[in-house]
Amino acid sequence: MYRFLPRLASGATVRAALLALAVAGSAPAHALFGDDEARRAILDLRQKFEQANEQHRNEQQRLAEQLDMVRRSLLELNNQLEQMRNEIAQMRGQDEEMARQLAEMQRRQTDLSQGIEERIRQIEPQKTVVDGKEFLARPEEKRDYEAALDLFRKGAFAEAAEAFQSFQRRYPGSGYNEVVLYWLGNAQYGKRDYKNAMATFRSMVALAPTHPRAPEAMLSIAMCQIELKDRPGARRTLEELIKAHPQSEAAAEAKERLVALR
């Protein structure tokens, strides 16, 4: 009966031992043991019970300590997880900020490139076609020509003449030169400056005798000569025009003028 007692360790085992002791205690002691032997057995049993109970308390304390340690570990692990979540959130925020800054840099770079291209376009010569002639003209060159021509179209002949002469000084090698001479002569004619108009038309014809406006320039020379009372000179000019550009509209008008001059 006593050989199983050293193995008592758990609460369930202790309770089973107490139940066995109670059952044993309910029977008459002298039926199983003598008084001394029964007393020693009881003391021995109590001692072993106390030892088992102490061992059980120690085990519970050890388990409680282990459980507390596990709880602290879990708490620390939760803290670490929370810290990691915060760090991940910060990293995501940094990534979003970097992406925003990158997009902003790309937008600025695009704006800068477009600005440079626009400035280059504003100063770079552009292909221009005037009266069938193709040439390169800088933007400001084209702008000044159009401004002078606009003055002429408005009938501001003096201002137009000044603008065309200014254009000649600013752009001496311009592809507009022939047509500028043509419109300058017309502006001078418009303000009744026939001598200078005639000289300007002559310059235009000498510079570009095959220019589409050369026949009209020659007709204008003849008109200046008529205004200056140089009828013989006008007839010679009209005859030269008919000979040089017989198929032109100016030649047809020159023929009519010749008839009128006779």
Side-chain angles (χ1 to χ4, degrees):
M1 174 181 180
Y2 303 113
R3 285 197 295 270
F4 75 92
L5 291 175
R7 294 198 298 269
L8 294 176
S10 66
T13 306
V14 171
R15 285 191 297 273
L18 290 174
L19 180 60
L21 182 60
V23 171
S26 63
H30 61 81
L32 299 175
F33 309 102
D35 291 343
D36 294 340
E37 188 177 358
R39 192 178 300 109
R40 285 196 299 272
I42 291 170
L43 292 175
D44 186 51
L45 182 59
R46 286 177 179 172
Q47 184 180 4
K48 291 183 181 301
F49 172 74
E50 292 295 333
Q51 291 175 348
N53 197 27
E54 179 65 20
Q55 184 178 3
H56 174 66
R57 286 196 296 271
N58 291 338
E59 183 65 17
Q60 284 185 326
Q61 183 177 359
R62 186 181 65 80
L63 292 174
E65 291 174 353
Q66 289 180 349
L67 181 60
D68 185 61
M69 185 180 300
V70 171
R71 287 174 178 170
R72 288 198 299 271
S73 297
L74 289 174
L75 180 61
E76 184 178 355
L77 182 59
N78 285 333
N79 291 335
Q80 291 178 353
L81 288 174
E82 185 65 23
Q83 184 178 0
M84 290 180 66
R85 291 193 188 98
N86 293 335
E87 291 176 355
I88 291 173
Q90 291 178 356
M91 291 176 67
R92 285 177 178 169
Q94 292 174 354
D95 288 345
E96 290 178 0
E97 176 62 20
M98 290 179 65
R100 188 192 65 77
Q101 292 180 356
L102 178 60
E104 180 66 15
M105 289 177 61
Q106 290 175 337
R107 186 188 63 77
R108 291 180 180 176
Q109 184 177 8
T110 300
D111 292 344
L112 180 61
S113 298
Q114 291 176 346
I116 292 174
E117 290 177 359
E118 177 62 20
R119 284 194 288 273
I120 291 175
R121 190 184 65 79
Q122 291 176 355
I123 64 175
E124 191 175 47
Q126 304 292 322
K127 185 173 70 174
T128 305
V129 179
V130 177
D131 292 337
K133 178 184 178 182
E134 182 177 308
F135 55 92
L136 293 177
R138 295 194 297 275
E140 67 273 19
E141 186 179 350
K142 183 176 182 180
R143 182 187 62 239
D144 289 350
Y145 169 77
E146 294 291 344
L149 188 59
D150 188 56
L151 288 171
F152 178 82
R153 288 169 177 159
K154 292 178 179 177
F157 301 124
E159 292 82 356
E162 185 177 348
F164 282 122
Q165 288 170 331
S166 175
F167 184 96
Q168 289 178 313
R169 291 192 294 271
R170 291 190 63 184
Y171 313 105
S174 173
Y176 285 104
N177 276 350
E178 296 93 335
V179 73
V180 164
L181 283 171
Y182 175 79
W183 290 115
L184 172 60
N186 279 283
Q188 291 167 330
Y189 186 91
K191 67 175 188 175
R192 301 180 185 278
D193 184 2
Y194 302 121
K195 287 186 178 180
N196 283 325
M198 185 170 58
T200 300
F201 285 127
R202 288 188 186 282
S203 297
M204 188 266 176
V205 173
L207 180 64
T210 59
H211 194 279
R213 294 187 183 277
E216 295 180 24
M218 293 183 70
L219 182 60
S220 296
I221 293 171
M223 298 300 294
C224 290
Q225 290 170 322
I226 292 172
E227 294 292 343
L228 293 171
K229 312 300 182 187
D230 182 10
R231 297 170 68 89
R235 283 196 294 271
R236 285 195 299 273
T237 301
L238 292 172
E239 290 170 351
E240 291 173 1
L241 166 59
I242 295 169
K243 182 177 180 181
H245 307 282
Q247 304 303 320
S248 64
E249 293 181 3
E253 185 173 346
K255 292 176 183 177
E256 295 177 1
R257 294 284 179 178
L258 277 175
V259 173
L261 288 174
R262 288 173 183 169

